[in-house]
Amino acid sequence: MKHPHILEEEIKNKVAQNYFDKFDCTKILGKIDFAVKMKRKSSNLLSLEDLTGFNAEYLLWAEAKQKSTDIVAMLTQLVLTIGKARTFEEIMPPPFLGCYDNEKIAFVPYSEIQHIFYQNDFNWKITPSDHETKEFKLVYAQIKKIIDNDIPWNTYLFDFVSDEKELKKFIRDNFVVNKGINPLAINKLQIDKNNFIIIYNKWLQSVKPSIAVNWDAAKKAGIIDGDFYLADLLSSENASIKDNLFVLLHSNFYEIDRKINETGLFTSSRADFSDNQKAHNQFWARYQRPPHEEYWDYIVNRRDLLMPQDVRERKGSFFTPQIWVELSQRYLADVLGKDWQDEYYVWDCAAGTGNLLAGLTNKYKIWASTLDKADVDAMHDRIDNGANLLHDHVFQFDFLNDEFLPKSKGGKLPDTLFDIIESEKRRKSLLIYINPPYVEVSSIAGGKKGVNQSKIHDKYARELGTAGRELFAQFFIRIYKEIPNSKLAAFSKMKHISGSAFEKFRNHFLSEYKKGFISIANVFDNVSGDFPIGFLIWDMNNEKKIEKIECDVFNANGKKTGMKNFYVYENANYINKWISKYNKKPSGEYLGFLAGTNGNGFQNNRTIYIINKREQMPNPRGIYITINNLIESSIYLTVRKVIPATWLNDRDQFLFPNKKWEADTEFHNDCLTYTIFNNNISSSSGVNHWIPFSETEVNARTTYASHTLITFLSGKITKNGYADLFDPDYLLDAKNKKPAKMNWKKGEKREFSPEATAVFDAGRELWKYYHGIAGQARNDRERLYNVNASLYDIREHFQERNDKGKMNNTSTDAQYTELIGNLRKELNALAQKIEPKVYEYGFLIN
């Protein structure tokens, strides 16, 4: 079925007719392009929708495109569409998500994708079809990783022509046609790894309010509603079938907090129903319990998905993906030797449900502890089902609050582990192997309260300083101080290496770095953001101040792509100190305002831009741009912008340069060129002093209000009408009142490199097109013509604004699109030319 010239709706119809004719494809499901569901053969028979209270019969949700399109991009748009509408909260998700165009069709199991919908701090409000948003790129990377690593695409990707037979067989085998729902024969919905979270959300609304529990108090005690749901789900005839769950269902009540008290007696607490179990019975009458046994371990292992979001973040109840578990253990073998599992003791003191320990072989030398008793129960259940751990080596322990005391003396540590910690000799063979929580407290949105309210934070507040706002730093400082001379192998952010907030921490964490790797944060479960997560191995037996570390770099698919150095920037002079030398508040008019000079790292670059006036900012911080500091301002903005911010350079800092830049006039002019075509100057906010072309060059209809930049580029520095921009004080050294040392020669026209010249040429064509089109009487555009238009104004003219007042990303004018594309192409070429000098002149270090 290859139809290169038909419309998207026709493709949908043909796919429905040719491959899904036995199903109902007529349902319009929000903004999902294509939905396949079971047909109901008789109106007299009840459907699962009738029985469960929400639709449970969908087999496929898919994205459709008219032309050949990247599979990952199509799936990404589908996921963003579903996530934005939260479709899965109202409608039971299907076994498969999919996508197709005029050539091919692909399927991915919903269970492989569903964790994306539950990630932290993700903005689902963006437009799903906008491929340029950071959210689209983030989800794209996550789906690509799933496809590349987890899904056998020779099974799930089909060409409509060459794979037609295989496609029809796949649909026949996996899309079981509904024979009509007989409520006497099939009266309950099966629960599996695709839908157990969705049903949990329904359970929260229907059953949880009927359980007689003070949920706020329970949450503080570490008891979560998800454990009650697991007790219900993994039960038969209203009795839990797994004894190791934290909460057990016993017919008409729940048993919780089972333990041996101080007298040696077994005790527990009980939670009853406040409505004689009416809501509970009505809810579970819809679903088949327990699920098939093949799903039990998966559901228990993903208990983290049943936690409230704030609890998940504080406890660090997130999976370490298996690809990184295996890689970290290979690195441990490289550093500690191939027999390290027999020669070292291992303690994961932030174990969650223990997946970081998967693959370790010597269970007699492994200990696992976690804050949450229910996670301990989950690990014990996994041990009963074959996990290579010992019951007595898995225990509840709050690493940031509990004391190091053995159980024999009333503490929580197994005596065997305590003896190792206390032994100076054996402690050198103890490896703390962890993936601790990444949550931090912050004054900005997204920070979590309570992170710095632990006993360890209070105990080591002086050593931690502001690093105490990060939970992983609290783990590290306790390990260093209270388990000295041991080894530490940990996943973490890289802030403790380069972050200025970690200066005090680094003065006390004196350890020898051995080896490590980094990858982008969003490949880790429920972690979003474009920053590196590292796995670093430290020998705390050798005191060494951190100055620089070198890490291997791996992409999202686990392929090594290079090396990366991380530097400690203590006592360094930063770029903002350099640019501040050239800041002087003018007495009159000025060219513009360089905003955002309050951070020195790549993560601060998005706040750096040039506008007309300081008053345009609610909390202005920056420098005034005048003729006297135009070159330095241009260098600052260019250096900060020409190298794109990536997850890999997220922690790199811009520094005070060496003096080599001062004599490089070609560098000055390249940066000036880049800045002229990379600012937010708008004539609607004041006089536009940044027009680079004369009226004659671009066929302007009348004279500009300002010729400042044209005059500057020509070298004709005179007061002729520009006295406000050429205050004599600017041309004198402020201290000695002598003529200032200018970085251009008066009267000489600026000479530009071929790359800069190409930018001017491309820009000139764009300006000419604007003055030719907007300068003509073209309906309502006549009123929009502005002879003083800046590049920002020209973009606004052609791209226009949407209903929310935001400038559109594209234009319907094909000629403009070509011209702006040419300009961006030449700017990119210029940026690549400038980039090596950013390092040569010391603004950045490799």
Side-chain angles (χ1 to χ4, degrees):
M1 188 211 81
K2 288 203 176 182
H3 298 281
H5 303 300
I6 64 176
L7 299 176
E8 183 178 305
E9 290 303 316
E10 293 182 76
I11 293 177
K12 294 179 187 178
N13 293 336
K14 288 184 178 294
V15 169
Q17 294 167 8
N18 294 353
Y19 303 103
F20 297 99
D21 58 308
K22 295 181 180 180
F23 304 91
D24 181 2
C25 303
T26 62
K27 180 70 174 178
I28 304 294
L29 189 58
K31 294 188 177 181
I32 296 173
D33 286 341
F34 188 76
V36 177
K37 64 181 296 188
M38 294 291 194
K39 284 183 178 179
R40 294 178 61 178
K41 289 192 173 182
S42 171
S43 59
N44 295 323
L45 295 176
L46 295 175
S47 71
L48 287 178
E49 184 173 358
D50 300 319
L51 292 165
T52 63
F54 62 102
N55 199 304
E57 298 180 75
Y58 281 97
L59 300 171
L60 173 69
W61 295 342
E63 180 74 17
K65 295 294 181 185
Q66 177 189 9
K67 298 179 180 179
S68 180
T69 307
D70 173 25
I71 289 170
V72 181
M74 287 192 284
L75 287 172
T76 300
Q77 184 170 334
L78 176 64
V79 168
L80 292 172
T81 299
I82 295 169
K84 184 175 185 177
R86 312 308 285 176
T87 311
F88 51 83
E89 294 180 356
E90 299 298 329
I91 298 175
M92 185 71 70
F96 291 100
L97 299 182
C99 60
Y100 60 84
D101 54 31
N102 65 323
E103 297 178 350
K104 59 190 175 293
I105 187 168
F107 304 90
V108 58
Y110 181 84
S111 60
E112 299 287 342
I113 292 284
Q114 66 175 342
H115 66 277
I116 295 176
F117 297 120
Y118 299 95
Q119 55 193 322
N120 291 342
D121 301 326
F122 189 89
N123 177 21
W124 290 104
K125 296 180 181 180
I126 53 99
T127 302
S129 59
D130 187 351
H131 292 204
E132 298 303 316
T133 64
K134 67 177 184 179
E135 289 81 7
F136 188 97
K137 294 175 181 178
L138 172 62
V139 174
Y140 184 97
Q142 292 172 323
I143 292 177
K144 190 174 189 304
K145 172 182 175 293
I146 292 169
I147 291 174
D148 290 346
N149 291 329
D150 303 331
I151 309 292
W153 277 99
N154 60 324
T155 302
Y156 296 107
L157 174 62
F158 304 93
D159 184 277
F160 282 127
V161 175
S162 60
D163 300 325
E164 184 172 16
K165 289 183 179 179
E166 291 84 353
L167 171 57
K168 290 184 175 180
K169 184 179 186 301
F170 176 84
I171 295 172
R172 186 168 62 249
D173 292 345
N174 292 279
F175 289 61
V176 180
V177 180
N178 184 15
K179 305 300 183 182
I181 301 296
N182 184 339
L184 298 177
I186 305 174
N187 57 3
K188 293 188 178 182
L189 177 68
Q190 292 288 340
I191 300 176
D192 56 28
K193 61 182 182 180
N194 285 336
N195 61 23
F196 81 99
I197 299 173
I198 309 305
I199 295 171
Y200 165 63
N201 291 328
K202 293 289 181 181
W203 180 93
L204 289 175
Q205 301 172 25
S206 301
V207 179
K208 178 182 175 181
S210 70
I211 303 173
V213 169
N214 182 327
W215 293 107
D216 290 335
K219 184 177 177 181
K220 292 179 181 178
I223 300 170
I224 64 169
D225 46 40
D227 289 318
F228 288 79
Y229 171 70
L230 283 180
D232 281 358
L233 179 58
L234 298 174
S235 67
S236 178
E237 297 181 355
N238 263 1
S240 297
I241 57 177
K242 295 177 77 67
D243 293 337
N244 285 323
L245 295 176
F246 185 63
V247 177
L248 297 178
L249 175 64
H250 295 292
S251 185
N252 59 356
F253 70 93
Y254 297 98
E255 184 183 18
I256 57 176
D257 198 22
R258 293 166 293 132
K259 60 185 177 183
I260 304 296
N261 66 18
E262 62 275 6
T263 64
L265 298 177
F266 180 85
T267 63
S268 64
S269 300
R270 169 173 171 153
D272 292 296
F273 294 95
S274 59
D275 65 344
N276 294 320
Q277 210 171 353
K278 180 179 178 181
H280 184 272
N281 290 335
Q282 288 178 347
F283 182 84
W284 288 113
R286 306 169 181 172
Y287 305 102
Q288 181 64 47
R289 294 183 294 166
H292 290 306
E293 190 170 353
E294 63 188 278
Y295 302 124
W296 293 2
D297 189 58
Y298 176 87
I299 291 172
V300 172
N301 225 16
R302 294 317 311 259
R303 173 184 175 270
D304 61 301
L305 296 176
L306 305 177
M307 284 187 176
Q309 197 64 34
D310 61 328
V311 175
R312 293 183 75 198
E313 292 167 344
R314 181 173 59 87
K315 294 183 177 180
S317 300
F318 305 127
F319 261 25
T320 307
Q322 191 62 28
I323 182 176
W324 309 119
V325 172
E326 294 173 0
L327 185 61
S328 69
Q329 291 173 12
R330 293 208 301 269
Y331 271 63
L332 285 169
D334 290 343
V335 172
L336 303 178
K338 64 179 182 179
D339 298 323
W340 72 276
Q341 295 193 50
D342 295 322
E343 297 174 356
Y344 284 83
Y345 307 101
V346 179
W347 180 18
D348 182 353
C349 56
T353 55
N355 76 300
L356 184 59
L357 303 173
L360 300 188
T361 57
N362 193 342
K363 62 184 177 182
Y364 297 99
K365 287 197 168 187
I366 303 170
W367 288 263
S369 64
T370 182
L371 173 65
D372 199 334
K373 177 63 167 61
D375 280 339
V376 174
D377 294 340
M379 280 191 278
H380 283 163
D381 182 76
R382 293 180 60 214
I383 293 170
D384 292 341
N385 287 278
N388 193 37
L389 298 168
L390 295 177
H391 267 271
D392 292 343
H393 284 196
V394 175
F395 57 100
Q396 183 183 12
F397 188 77
D398 185 345
F399 193 80
L400 299 183
N401 289 289
D402 290 339
E403 295 293 326
F404 281 178
L405 287 174
K407 288 185 179 180
S408 60
K409 295 184 179 180
K412 294 183 178 181
L413 293 180
D415 286 44
T416 50
L417 177 60
F418 179 79
D419 290 343
I420 294 169
I421 294 173
E422 288 294 293
S423 168
E424 182 177 352
K425 180 179 179 180
R426 298 174 71 194
R427 193 168 60 230
K428 293 179 181 179
S429 297
L430 175 59
L431 170 68
I432 309 300
Y433 179 35
I434 56 172
N435 185 4
Y438 303 150
V439 66
E440 63 179 293
V441 64
S442 175
S443 60
I444 62 175
K448 309 300 175 185
K449 295 180 179 179
V451 168
N452 55 358
Q453 295 174 0
S454 71
K455 291 181 180 178
I456 291 302
H457 180 273
D458 294 342
K459 184 176 182 179
Y460 297 112
R462 183 178 63 84
E463 291 87 346
L464 285 166
T466 51
R469 300 159 75 91
E470 300 269 359
L471 273 187
F472 84 87
Q474 296 179 39
F475 273 81
F476 283 17
I477 201 66
R478 185 179 196 185
I479 293 166
Y480 180 81
K481 292 289 187 180
E482 300 184 19
I483 317 177
N485 311 119
S486 60
K487 307 293 188 293
L488 172 62
F491 290 91
S492 70
K493 301 176 184 178
M494 301 299 289
K495 290 182 177 182
H496 58 307
I497 307 299
S498 301
S500 58
F502 279 75
E503 184 172 351
K504 287 186 178 179
F505 171 89
R506 286 189 291 266
N507 288 335
H508 294 276
F509 186 81
L510 303 176
S511 302
E512 181 184 5
Y513 170 71
K514 304 300 290 186
K515 192 175 184 179
F517 66 83
I518 58 172
S519 189
I520 188 169
N522 61 41
V523 302
F524 287 80
D525 182 57
N526 205 51
V527 180
S528 60
D530 294 334
F531 58 88
I533 292 292
F535 176 75
L536 309 182
I537 303 172
W538 302 91
D539 185 352
M540 296 184 291
N541 190 43
N542 297 324
E543 288 192 1
K544 191 172 182 180
K545 191 171 177 62
I546 305 170
E547 295 180 354
K548 167 191 170 184
I549 68 168
E550 182 180 80
C551 294
D552 296 329
V553 179
F554 287 83
N555 65 18
N557 303 319
K559 181 180 179 181
K560 185 177 176 180
T561 59
M563 306 286 292
K564 170 67 178 175
N565 291 323
F566 289 86
Y567 294 90
V568 174
Y569 294 102
E570 290 174 17
N571 302 317
N573 283 326
Y574 293 100
I575 192 171
N576 285 333
K577 183 177 181 180
W578 171 75
I579 193 61
S580 66
K581 297 195 311 174
Y582 303 98
N583 189 27
K584 181 178 183 294
K585 186 176 181 179
S587 57
E589 183 75 8
Y590 50 95
L591 299 178
F593 189 77
L594 175 60
T597 59
N598 59 341
N600 297 288
F602 269 95
Q603 68 268 35
N604 308 112
N605 282 2
R606 64 182 180 275
T607 65
I608 296 171
Y609 48 86
I610 292 175
I611 52 179
N612 296 67
K613 301 291 183 182
R614 181 178 184 271
E615 291 73 24
Q616 291 174 245
M617 300 177 63
N619 299 298
R621 182 167 182 174
I623 71 170
Y624 296 93
I625 302 175
T626 67
I627 287 295
N628 202 46
N629 67 4
L630 177 57
I631 294 298
E632 290 81 5
S633 299
S634 297
I635 290 173
Y636 180 90
L637 180 127
T638 301
V639 163
R640 298 296 296 262
K641 295 290 188 178
V642 291
I643 303 174
T646 68
W647 71 270
L648 200 53
N649 61 26
D650 179 74
R651 293 296 153 193
D652 291 358
Q653 302 291 304
F654 290 89
L655 303 174
F656 197 112
N658 56 46
K659 292 183 177 296
K660 294 179 182 179
W661 70 272
E662 294 178 354
D664 190 345
T665 55
E666 183 173 297
F667 175 67
H668 302 170
N669 292 337
D670 283 345
C671 292
L672 175 61
T673 303
Y674 188 87
T675 301
I676 290 170
F677 297 95
N678 274 282
N679 60 66
N680 292 339
I681 295 292
S682 173
S683 59
S684 63
S685 300
V687 177
N688 175 17
H689 298 293
W690 293 77
I691 302 175
F693 308 112
S694 70
E695 292 92 338
T696 303
E697 286 181 280
V698 297
N699 300 319
R701 291 174 58 185
T702 187
T703 304
Y704 302 146
S706 170
H707 295 80
T708 303
L709 185 60
I710 299 169
T711 306
F712 180 74
L713 296 177
S714 70
K716 298 175 183 178
I717 307 300
T718 69
K719 287 188 177 183
N720 186 22
Y722 309 109
D724 53 341
L725 292 170
F726 292 89
D727 189 320
D729 286 344
Y730 294 156
L731 302 180
L732 295 175
D733 181 282
K735 183 178 180 180
N736 301 314
K737 292 297 180 181
K738 295 180 180 179
K741 188 177 182 180
M742 310 300 290
N743 51 29
W744 70 87
K745 293 182 179 180
K746 182 176 178 180
E748 289 188 7
K749 183 178 180 181
R750 288 191 167 266
E751 299 295 332
F752 293 94
S753 66
E755 293 83 359
T757 300
V759 171
F760 275 101
D761 290 343
R764 187 180 298 104
E765 294 304 310
L766 178 61
W767 255 262
K768 285 171 65 176
Y769 182 67
Y770 168 79
H771 285 281
I773 292 296
Q776 300 172 11
R778 294 173 55 88
N779 301 326
D780 62 339
R781 287 197 172 187
E782 170 69 14
R783 61 184 176 83
L784 296 177
Y785 176 68
N786 177 7
V787 70
N788 298 303
S790 65
L791 178 58
Y792 185 89
D793 296 328
I794 293 173
R795 289 176 53 228
E796 184 178 33
H797 176 86
F798 288 107
Q799 295 172 209
E800 302 180 313
R801 295 186 178 273
N802 60 25
D803 293 340
K804 296 181 179 180
K806 181 181 178 181
M807 190 187 300
N808 296 317
N809 293 323
T810 59
S811 170
T812 58
D813 189 310
Q815 181 66 19
Y816 163 78
T817 301
E818 180 180 349
L819 292 171
I820 195 72
N822 291 340
L823 176 59
R824 288 167 178 163
K825 175 185 173 183
E826 300 302 340
L827 279 168
N828 287 336
L830 178 61
Q832 292 175 27
K833 176 179 184 288
I834 295 170
E835 181 175 344
K837 292 188 176 182
V838 175
Y839 293 96
E840 180 183 347
Y841 297 152
F843 290 102
L844 287 173
I845 51 178
N846 279 317

